[in-house]
Amino acid sequence: GENVEQHPSTLSVQEGDSAVIKCTYSDSASNYFPWYKQELGKGPQLIIDIRSNVGEKKDQRIAVTLNKTAKHFSLHITETQPEDSAVYFCAAIKTSYDKVIFGPGTSLSVIP
Amino acid sequence: EPEVTQTPSHQVTQMGQEVILRCVPISNHLYFYWYRQILGQKVEFLVSFYNNEISEKSEIFDDQFSVERPDGSNFTLKIRSTKLEDSAMYFCASSDVGTDNTEAFFGQGTRLTVV
């Protein structure tokens, strides 16, 4: 089955710097790659996603890139703020309504 | 904004007891899911449910687990005889039946503590 790896497991950045989280997946049939932010005591919240027919997507300070050939995808957060501190999960989904396969998560700390 | 709601937020139970975790998915969604997250670990898929039946389940979802949609709004996860290792956050999720809409919306979770 699908396996999603994620690096780094922890990341500390100074406020205003950029943060990059990288993921790989194993199943070439995966077509949808959401990113979730999980704050303490809460459920995962979708922050951005990318589909297999797109190489890059941007939403304000957040951007995702996808390299389907290499089975890599990345999350970029620019101008980080303390409220960006959370655990971020990348994920892969094969087809509509299929289960979400999560990566192990990255704990991001933004230091004021 | 519509949201998935879960109750209770925290449940403490004795080993061997039955627990029922409750979820109200987003009203027009037709796919429902349960996931769990053991403390400090990743979110793991348990089961998906569509058209009043299980569509897929993981190896974690053994005979101790069951799901039910008892009415038009609730979706429940039952653990028949809880074990210490069932202690985790349990998340319910739902998704729409659109041609290109695969986003799953997650609830806030129920923290289950088995003592």
Side-chain angles (χ1 to χ4, degrees):
Chain A
E2 175 65 280
N3 183 48
V4 179
E5 300 288 340
Q6 183 172 350
H7 300 279
S9 56
T10 59
L11 179 60
S12 288
V13 299
Q14 291 288 330
E15 183 177 357
D17 287 351
S18 295
V20 179
I21 302 171
K22 298 186 177 184
C23 290
T24 61
Y25 62 99
S26 60
D27 192 337
S28 56
S30 290
N31 283 307
Y32 174 64
F33 305 93
W35 285 86
Y36 290 90
K37 177 182 181 182
Q38 186 180 30
E39 295 174 323
L40 198 62
K42 296 188 177 181
Q45 298 294 308
L46 180 74
I47 56 170
I48 195 167
D49 56 29
I50 190 166
R51 298 183 188 276
S52 61
N53 57 349
V54 173
E56 185 173 353
K57 182 176 178 180
K58 192 172 181 181
D59 183 4
Q60 299 182 344
R61 297 186 296 108
I62 297 174
V64 290
T65 58
L66 171 65
N67 182 331
K68 266 217 99 171
T69 305
K71 299 197 194 76
H72 290 174
F73 57 119
S74 301
L75 176 74
H76 302 248
I77 306 173
T78 58
E79 300 170 28
T80 52
Q81 300 165 5
E83 51 265 39
D84 294 330
S85 296
V87 178
Y88 291 81
F89 292 98
C90 61
I93 302 177
K94 274 199 270 190
T95 59
S96 295
Y97 330 125
D98 200 7
K99 60 185 179 289
V100 179
I101 303 298
F102 286 87
T106 295
S107 178
L108 173 64
S109 298
V110 179
I111 303 162
Chain B
E1 186 176 324
E3 59 180 14
V4 175
T5 56
Q6 290 184 243
T7 54
S9 56
H10 191 187
Q11 173 94 43
V12 180
T13 189
Q14 289 206 326
M15 191 170 54
Q17 295 295 304
E18 174 184 287
V19 293
I20 297 176
L21 310 183
R22 302 179 191 281
C23 169
V24 179
I26 294 173
S27 63
N28 62 333
H29 287 185
L30 295 178
Y31 278 85
F32 314 117
Y33 313 83
W34 283 101
Y35 292 80
R36 82 169 183 195
Q37 184 180 31
I38 295 172
L39 187 64
Q41 298 185 22
K42 66 176 164 182
V43 182
E44 301 173 288
F45 168 76
L46 290 179
V47 65
S48 58
F49 190 88
Y50 172 71
N51 200 26
N52 285 319
E53 60 182 22
I54 290 173
S55 48
E56 187 175 358
K57 60 183 181 180
S58 72
E59 58 189 25
I60 303 168
F61 194 89
D62 61 22
D63 293 344
Q64 292 299 312
F65 292 88
S66 62
V67 290
E68 191 179 27
R69 187 149 164 84
D71 53 43
S73 60
N74 291 285
F75 179 52
T76 61
L77 174 70
K78 182 195 290 186
I79 308 175
R80 286 189 187 80
S81 178
T82 49
K83 309 186 201 61
L84 295 176
E85 54 264 37
D86 293 327
S87 295
M89 281 289 286
Y90 287 81
F91 294 106
C92 174
S94 69
S95 63
D96 198 357
V97 184
T99 54
D100 196 33
N101 190 344
T102 46
E103 178 182 350
F105 291 81
F106 285 79
Q108 298 278 67
T110 293
R111 179 173 298 283
L112 176 65
T113 303
V114 182
V115 296

